[in-house]
């Protein structure tokens, strides 16, 4: 049986969000089940999110019942973006490399550069747009509701 939360974390969030995990090709589901440890998979198909990856680094129960801590390494190629999405908890991040314009639905955008930390509140709809000259790398740590998908796309 495919772990839906793992699929949403490590494969195409745009596809999984729009179609549901069962609609993904068997080869994608089988690869996700067969891949031990952290893996990186593209977040979108062709278009502005093409080539974006979210690698699951670690996942642990939180001290607060029903919550978990999840850490990922996100890579966004030049001229690409994460796509509008939210998380069922907070995101605490750090820009390892690159320049990002973090766009929000409810506040002005935030320009982030190599070495900058960031914080995104629970449920905030946001989009990370690579505005630099290299592939952006972000370390993102989430404290999220364990019963919900890590990413909800819009």
């Amino acid at each position: 049986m495919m772990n839906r939360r793992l699929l949403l974390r490590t494969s195409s969030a745009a596809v999984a969000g729009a179609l549901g995990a069962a609609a993904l090709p068997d080869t994608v589901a089988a690869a996700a089940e067969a891949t031990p440890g952290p893996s990186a998979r593209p977040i979108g198909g062709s278009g502005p999110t093409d080539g974006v990856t979210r690698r699951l680094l670690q996942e642990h129960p939180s001290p607060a019942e029903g919550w978990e801590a999840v850490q990922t390494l996100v890579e966004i190629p030049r001229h690409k973006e994460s796509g509008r999405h939210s998380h069922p908890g907070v995101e605490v991040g750090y820009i390892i490399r690159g320049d990002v314009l973090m766009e929000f639905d409810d506040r002005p955008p935030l320009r982030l550069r190599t070495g900058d930390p960031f914080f995104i509140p629970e449920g905030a709809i946001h989009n990370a747009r690579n505005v630099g000259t290299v592939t952006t790398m972000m370390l993102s740590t989430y404290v999220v509701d364990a019963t919900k998908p890590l990413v909800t796309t819009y």
Side-chain angles (χ1 to χ4, degrees), residues 48-150:
T49 61
D50 191 32
V52 175
T53 59
R54 178 178 287 113
R55 180 182 304 271
L56 178 61
L57 299 176
Q58 58 181 328
E59 178 177 17
H60 301 282
S62 169
E65 188 174 332
W67 291 79
E68 65 183 347
V70 178
Q71 190 171 59
T72 65
L73 179 64
V74 179
E75 293 187 60
I76 305 173
R78 289 179 55 205
H79 311 298
K80 299 294 180 173
E81 60 190 67
S82 65
R84 289 176 63 245
H85 65 282
S86 66
H87 308 285
V90 298
E91 177 180 358
V92 179
Y94 179 78
I95 306 298
I96 298 169
R97 176 181 70 204
D99 295 298
V100 171
L101 186 63
M102 193 69 72
E103 302 166 324
F104 298 92
D105 278 11
D106 64 348
R107 67 191 76 154
L110 180 62
R111 178 69 184 255
L112 300 166
R113 294 178 174 87
T114 300
D116 286 343
F118 62 92
F119 177 86
I120 299 176
E122 178 178 2
I125 298 173
H126 58 287
N127 178 47
R129 181 183 307 275
N130 183 338
V131 294
T133 60
V134 299
T135 295
T136 295
M137 291 180 66
M138 302 185 306
L139 181 65
S140 289
T141 303
Y142 311 88
V143 178
V144 293
D145 183 330
T147 65
K148 297 181 180 175
L150 178 64

Side-chain angles (χ1 to χ4, degrees), residues 6-21 24-25 28 32 40-46 49 52-54 151 153:
L6 177 62
L7 179 65
L8 287 171
R9 286 198 185 102
T10 60
S11 71
S12 173
V15 173
L19 302 176
L24 291 175
V28 173
R41 305 230 197 306
I43 290 180
S46 63
T49 61
V52 175
T53 59
R54 178 178 287 113
V151 177
T153 59

